[in-house]
Amino acid sequence: MRFQLTDDQRALKAGVRELLERRFGREAVRRAVDTPGRLDRELWRALGDAGFFALRLPERAGGVGLGLAEAVLVFEEAGRALLPGPLVATHLAAGTVPGAAGGETVVTAVDGELVEWLDEADTVLGDAQAALPLRSLDPLTPLHRVPDARGVAAADPVAVLLTAAEQLGTAVRVGELAVQHARTREQFGQPIGAFQAVKHLCADLLARTEIARVAVYAAAVTADPADIAAARLLADEAAVRGARDCLQVHGGMGFTWEADVHLHLKRAWVRARRGGGGTESEELLAARLAA
């Protein structure tokens, strides 16, 4: 089977990237880091106006009328841009929670023991009354913890897939940053990308990213829970290991606060804790194989 994006899908992806580069470029990312826990409502409404949250709603309901495959492309770009906020929860709430589709309402959801952006949310799906603030590794993702959470339901497969798409976007971006640095940083009179160790890091990063891309895109077509679980595991690995390899390529510079690499690594770590990742996806795949 030959799987290629359509012209409309490419245009959608490019349009979202242009929007995010214009509204949430590097300077905006740094401003958000300097004011942790504060969600930019103007940006949220701009996303709503662009159809980010209403993408899969039927046109008769005021949505864009596209499908899961297009949503994956959009969330990939969101991950690449480090876009903050409870994007998945608000997207899934479009059509059921008033104002979510247009970006007027910020929706978050209890995810196991964790809740993202609780203080900034207008609507919380699930019981978060006992939630306690938790120091988040990611300065762009404030967290609360629900103590003694019981009866946790299995994660929504669509939420799992959209998280995988965000992780794919992170893997893509850290790959770009690694290659850019390898081409411009010089040691011993030549770019560090000429050295075999750096070449191997960049090559492995690319390989993991493209494998994850194939899995995520395929799962968006089949919507099969096992395919989604596999895509999530591969995307988590591509994002986390890719960011760590990107850090290695940058060397000591990558550990400084001024570099963006650590922000991508921290976001990837936090996303990997969402429902449907790690053990949950592994158990689902194991049960499918044993059936």
Side-chain angles (χ1 to χ4, degrees), residues 43-80:
L43 174 61
W44 206 256
R45 286 190 290 271
L47 293 173
D49 292 340
F52 188 99
F53 304 116
L55 191 73
R56 294 187 304 124
L57 278 183
E59 292 183 20
R60 62 180 180 276
V64 182
L66 297 178
L68 188 57
E70 287 75 22
V72 159
L73 298 177
V74 168
F75 273 80
E76 178 187 342
E77 291 301 320
R80 179 184 177 276

Side-chain angles (χ1 to χ4, degrees), residues 4-153:
Q4 296 287 341
L5 300 183
T6 67
D7 290 341
D8 288 342
Q9 288 173 331
R10 291 193 186 93
L12 173 66
K13 204 168 185 293
V16 172
R17 180 173 298 191
E18 181 183 354
L19 170 66
L20 295 180
E21 287 176 347
R22 185 173 69 251
R23 296 300 300 263
F24 198 69
R26 189 177 187 277
E27 291 184 3
V29 171
R30 284 295 170 169
R31 286 196 299 270
V33 170
D34 291 338
T35 56
R38 182 180 177 183
L39 192 64
D40 186 343
R41 295 285 179 143
E42 291 187 7
L43 174 61
W44 206 256
R45 286 190 290 271
L47 293 173
D49 292 340
F52 188 99
F53 304 116
L55 191 73
R56 294 187 304 124
L57 278 183
E59 292 183 20
R60 62 180 180 276
V64 182
L66 297 178
L68 188 57
E70 287 75 22
V72 159
L73 298 177
V74 168
F75 273 80
E76 178 187 342
E77 291 301 320
R80 179 184 177 276
L82 272 176
L83 188 64
L87 300 166
V88 174
T90 303
H91 178 88
L92 294 179
T96 57
V97 176
E104 294 89 4
T105 302
V106 177
V107 182
T108 191
V110 178
D111 182 9
E113 293 186 341
L114 298 178
V115 190
E116 299 180 4
W117 291 93
L118 180 60
D119 290 338
E120 288 287 302
D122 303 309
T123 300
V124 181
L125 304 179
D127 184 5
Q129 292 184 3
L132 301 173
L134 183 67
R135 184 176 180 181
S136 177
L137 185 66
D138 177 15
L140 293 174
T141 308
L143 295 172
H144 280 69
R145 178 177 177 271
V146 181
D148 302 322
R150 294 185 177 90
V152 178

Side-chain angles (χ1 to χ4, degrees), residues 156-213:
D156 183 339
V158 175
V160 176
L161 181 58
L162 296 182
T163 295
E166 288 183 288
Q167 293 285 61
L168 173 60
T170 289
V172 169
R173 183 55 183 156
V174 295
E176 295 169 350
L177 292 173
V179 171
Q180 179 182 9
H181 188 75
R183 285 174 172 170
T184 56
R185 177 68 172 174
E186 293 190 359
Q187 288 288 341
F188 307 109
Q190 59 183 327
I192 62 172
F195 303 123
Q196 189 175 47
V198 176
K199 288 180 181 179
H200 285 175
L201 285 172
C202 292
D204 289 345
L205 201 160
L206 176 63
R208 285 192 298 269
T209 298
E210 291 308 306
I211 291 171
R213 185 193 303 278

Side-chain angles (χ1 to χ4, degrees), residues 203-250:
D204 289 345
L205 201 160
L206 176 63
R208 285 192 298 269
T209 298
E210 291 308 306
I211 291 171
R213 185 193 303 278
V214 170
V216 171
Y217 285 9
V221 174
T222 67
D224 181 86
D227 291 343
I228 291 173
R232 175 66 187 277
L233 290 171
L234 290 167
D236 281 348
E237 180 186 27
V240 173
R241 291 188 61 184
R244 291 173 64 183
D245 285 352
C246 182
L247 198 67
Q248 286 290 102
V249 172
H250 279 73

